[in-house]
Amino acid sequence: MPYTSVNPTTGAVVETHPDHTDEHVDALLDRAVATFQWYRTTSLSDRSMWLRSAAEVLEGELPNIATILTEEMGKTFAAAKGEVLKCAMTMRYYADHGPAMLAPEPVESPASRSELRYDPIGCVLAVMPWNFPLWQVVRFAAPALMAGNVGVLKHASNVPRAALCLEDVFRRAGFADGVFTNLFLPASKVAALIADDRIAAVTLTGSEAAGASVGAAAGAALKKCVLELGGSDPFIVASSADLDRAVPMAVTGRVQNNGQSCIAAKRFLVVADRYDEFVARFAEQMDALVVGDPMDPATNVGPLVSASQRQEISEQVADAVAKGATVHAGGVAVDGPGFFYRPTVLTGVDPSMRAGCEELFGPVAVVQSVPDLDAAIAVANATPWGLGASVWAMDPAEQERCVAGIEAGMVFVNAIVASTPELPFGGIKRSGYGRELSALGMREFCNIKTVYVA
Ligand code: NAP
């Protein structure tokens, strides 16, 4: 199956690219490992300079690059510009802070001198999804390249334009050929690639099925692996919540990226004394959203990425309704070309329904009343996932109970879950393992070398 870029606003095929042949992949891997032997010796100041230069390319070509994202996966043009700028900001963050994160750390011990060094480990394979086609890659690549690794990208097969664009940005920024390489490769060939001696480690952002497959291949090859997988993040509304702040952010948290974000708020758990007011205000604001052409500045929600993604979300909602759930807003696909679906609010969902036990990767919110905060925390934890959680409470005691009690990699209080280069990003349970971003993310792909001088 070739890499195919389809505009989800129109359904039209924009570009196709054949998979790279085995011989071509072989040559690109040879080049990557040869480049690594030189690149690992480059100075931190040179790597910082190239990263800053890449940030300048992104900013200098902001409208063109953002247009690729909107045309390729349907996010609004405003969101696409935000994604490009966030990539540039993160490149600068690692250019500025990377040298300190990578500096040797002296440690007191019986040795006359002992320290930790953060050495690069080699050629890292990144298997990435389509939903943030630049950001998912950059949040791996900026720290990894700063640390002296080289990267090979197997991007999702529906975002070839974003993959080629990013490879071109790194090359024009001054990174040598072979430092960042795009591979057009089917998912079926990823396991063999992980086993290849030229690959040192692998990182995957994507579904649980892909994570299980990549994790198994990495385990068989005894290679380092980081997995950022799906989630069904809770959005807890406590008794002390400020609904004037919480409701608009509940809307943003659910429909950002047209509802297709791993860290989107997906289950809204509201204590009983705030439930009726929350549902009424939330449903009203979800219903008022403008769904349409993502290039139009008036649009809040663009199309889903593909016909199959819309079919999936339609079937999840239909199943819930057939089993007794109530629709307070949306619940329907939009007629006409493109893969649009109305922002939807459901109540009365239970675990026998697909919407009650599966990830909802579209603009569909499930709201549930819970008797009190302890029940909210218990329901929040009663899933196989543990990526993020958003808690809305003004009372510090309520905030602290949630922070301590929630089983997730990230808890945000009076804010929706978001990624930022300063803070580690990642989950627990079936949402994956390892961390991206911050110094911790950078060091996932470092040889943390112990040095002991007697
Ligand atoms: P996906 O099908 O898993 O695809 C992600 C990447 O993995 C693509 O490059 C895909 O290639 C590849 N892939 C698929 N199956 C594979 C396999 N068996 N072995 C190796 N590679 C494989 O994910 P998606 O449905 O496009 O993305 C949505 C999922 O990603 C959701 O569950 C979402 O929550 C999760 N996600 C998580 C994060 C996070 O940071 N935790 C961020 C974004 C998304 P092809 O395109 O060629 O199939």
Side-chain angles (χ1 to χ4, degrees):
M1 183 64 181
Y3 273 67
T4 305
S5 186
V6 174
N7 186 338
T9 302
T10 61
V13 174
V14 178
E15 273 181 32
T16 59
H17 296 266
D19 292 335
H20 288 156
T21 62
D22 292 347
E23 293 71 27
H24 192 38
V25 171
D26 210 42
L28 291 174
L29 287 178
D30 277 348
R31 187 183 69 173
V33 290
T35 303
F36 172 65
Q37 292 309 329
W38 161 77
Y39 184 67
R40 67 180 304 168
T41 68
T42 57
S43 67
L44 292 173
S45 61
D46 276 350
R47 295 178 209 157
S48 291
M49 177 182 72
W50 293 320
L51 275 179
R52 287 196 187 94
S53 172
E56 278 163 25
V57 175
L58 288 176
E59 288 164 348
E61 297 171 23
L62 179 61
N64 291 348
I65 296 174
T67 300
I68 292 174
L69 306 190
T70 299
E71 287 182 354
E72 194 152 55
M73 56 67 63
K75 68 179 63 201
T76 63
F77 190 50
K81 285 188 286 190
E83 180 171 340
V84 176
L85 292 176
K86 185 171 179 176
C87 290
M89 179 270 285
T90 297
M91 289 169 172
R92 284 210 180 82
Y93 178 83
Y94 281 101
D96 291 346
H97 299 278
M101 295 172 179
L102 294 163
E105 285 178 24
V107 179
E108 290 282 336
S109 81
S112 65
R113 176 172 75 89
S114 50
E115 65 181 23
L116 304 182
R117 283 172 57 91
Y118 297 103
D119 288 352
I121 56 170
C123 181
V124 182
L125 169 64
V127 183
M128 290 290 151
W130 46 265
N131 62 341
F132 292 92
L134 282 196
W135 170 242
Q136 304 286 8
V137 184
V138 166
R139 77 182 185 187
F140 149 73
L145 301 192
M146 187 68 216
N149 296 300
V150 301
V152 289
L153 168 67
K154 179 268 178 280
H155 216 327
S157 49
N158 55 346
V159 288
R161 295 174 69 195
L164 290 172
C165 169
L166 198 54
E167 184 182 49
D168 190 49
V169 166
F170 280 124
R171 189 182 49 73
R172 285 190 287 138
F175 285 102
D177 287 347
V179 173
F180 182 88
T181 305
N182 173 57
L183 303 178
F184 284 144
L185 194 80
S188 57
K189 292 193 173 173
V190 168
L193 187 58
I194 292 169
D196 191 296
D197 285 343
R198 291 166 291 187
I199 296 296
V202 58
T203 180
L204 172 127
T205 299
S207 61
E208 285 173 64
S213 168
V214 163
L222 297 176
K223 288 182 185 170
K224 180 67 183 281
C225 176
V226 168
L227 298 176
E228 298 288 358
L229 310 178
S232 188
D233 284 5
F235 182 107
I236 293 179
V237 179
S239 292
S240 68
D242 175 355
L243 290 193
D244 290 341
R245 287 171 65 190
V247 174
M249 294 312 289
V251 174
T252 302
R254 181 54 285 202
V255 304
Q256 60 180 331
N257 213 37
N258 307 339
Q260 303 158 122
S261 170
C262 55
I263 48 171
K266 291 169 186 150
R267 297 175 297 138
F268 296 79
L269 311 176
V270 187
V271 292
D273 58 341
R274 311 303 302 274
Y275 179 75
D276 289 342
E277 184 187 357
F278 180 85
V279 171
R281 291 173 66 174
F282 182 50
E284 185 186 357
Q285 292 185 29
M286 287 282 277
D287 213 31
L289 292 170
V290 177
V291 179
D293 178 0
M295 293 302 291
D296 184 341
T299 294
N300 303 118
V301 183
L304 294 178
V305 70
S306 63
S308 59
Q309 193 72 35
R310 182 173 69 169
Q311 181 69 18
E312 174 90 351
I313 204 87
S314 299
E315 287 174 7
Q316 288 169 315
V317 171
D319 171 74
V321 172
K323 291 174 180 162
T326 303
V327 178
H328 295 259
V332 286
V334 178
D335 284 340
F339 313 130
F340 296 92
Y341 195 85
R342 285 290 318 165
T344 296
V345 177
L346 299 175
T347 61
V349 171
D350 67 47
S352 74
M353 304 171 185
R354 291 185 58 193
C357 62
E358 296 177 2
E359 182 179 18
L360 292 164
F361 220 57
V364 177
V366 170
V367 189
Q368 181 177 344
S369 175
V370 285
D372 53 32
L373 197 56
D374 286 339
I377 294 168
V379 174
N381 291 341
T383 76
W385 302 287
L387 191 53
S390 176
V391 173
W392 293 81
M394 301 309 291
D395 173 8
E398 287 196 323
Q399 293 175 358
E400 194 46 41
R401 276 163 67 198
C402 291
V403 167
I406 288 174
E407 296 166 2
M410 303 169 281
V411 180
F412 281 56
V413 179
N414 295 329
I416 54 174
V417 182
S419 54
T420 175
E422 299 85 0
L423 290 169
F425 183 96
I428 60 170
K429 296 160 76 175
R430 291 188 72 83
S431 295
Y433 48 74
R435 291 293 177 267
E436 292 193 290
L437 297 171
S438 79
L440 291 179
M442 178 182 253
R443 291 171 187 165
E444 293 279 11
F445 296 116
C446 288
N447 170 15
I448 304 173
K449 188 184 278 175
T450 299
V451 179
Y452 184 103
V453 180

